[in-house]
Amino acid sequence: MFGFVISASLRPAMTADEPFLWEMLYEASHAADQGLTVADLETIPALSRYVDGWGADGDLGVIGGPAESPCGAAWLRLLTGTDAGYGYVDDATPELAIAVAPRARGTGLGTAMLEQLVTAAAGRYPAMSLSVREENPARRLYQRLGFVDVDGSRIVNRAGTTSITMVLPLR
């Protein structure tokens, strides 16, 4: 459908990408299902911690798609203490957020971004984690790349569905 996306460029996420990461957080968090806007996300600490002030020490991300119109992002943040997020495992494991714009879903972009991010993170972190809705089709991608469920991590999320924390050992 969008063959250009599969071969589209991938580049590191930069501080200037923060506005685009807010858009991708909107997709990743299923905010539309809850009647939220991108601007609403900035007022919800449980979500805003994934993007607010992007470019801090330890942040690592990949932006994918055509340079003039990116279609996706995968990014890691080390969220600890009171800033721990939905996929918290421990203080050494950053949490993953990933989203692909609806127009580019099913093209392989998410896989390409995640594979590049895993390679970049392997030299920096012992593992990465994420929280995913149990019924999310992307869960199969995470499993294919080696993510495993964290025992006892099933919770009812803000939307009233079940989420699971998954972890990918990198070392």
Side-chain angles (χ1 to χ4, degrees):
M1 175 168 142
F2 286 96
F4 72 88
V5 176
I6 294 173
S7 62
S9 66
L10 301 176
R11 64 169 178 79
M14 300 175 288
T15 303
D17 291 313
E18 185 175 329
F20 180 66
L21 292 179
W22 282 109
E23 292 176 36
M24 291 294 94
L25 181 64
Y26 178 82
E27 296 295 336
S29 66
H30 305 275
D33 297 348
Q34 300 164 51
L36 300 173
T37 65
V38 173
D40 291 333
L41 301 181
E42 296 181 32
T43 67
I44 304 171
L47 294 173
S48 66
R49 66 186 52 158
Y50 289 93
V51 176
D52 193 34
W54 174 259
D57 193 34
D59 288 351
L60 184 63
V62 175
I63 305 294
E68 67 281 359
S69 179
C71 302
W75 67 100
L76 295 174
R77 277 205 131 162
L78 195 55
L79 301 171
T80 62
T82 59
D83 278 337
Y86 294 111
Y88 178 82
V89 173
D90 60 43
D91 284 354
T93 303
E95 294 183 45
L96 168 70
I98 182 171
V100 175
R103 70 183 186 275
R105 290 184 185 147
T107 64
L109 180 61
T111 300
M113 291 186 309
L114 190 49
E115 287 174 343
Q116 184 163 319
L117 187 59
V118 166
T119 298
R124 296 174 80 172
Y125 296 108
M128 65 173 62
S129 64
L130 61 87
S131 177
V132 62
R133 290 184 182 186
E134 192 168 37
E135 73 280 359
N136 187 330
R139 191 161 180 257
R140 289 187 300 278
L141 164 64
Y142 307 140
Q143 291 168 327
R144 193 171 66 244
L145 293 179
F147 283 84
V148 295
D149 294 355
V150 173
D151 288 338
S153 68
R154 279 181 169 72
I155 62 161
V156 175
N157 58 38
R158 295 177 332 104
T161 62
T162 301
S163 289
I164 300 166
T165 298
M166 300 179 81
V167 67
L168 174 67
L170 298 172
R171 296 185 193 148

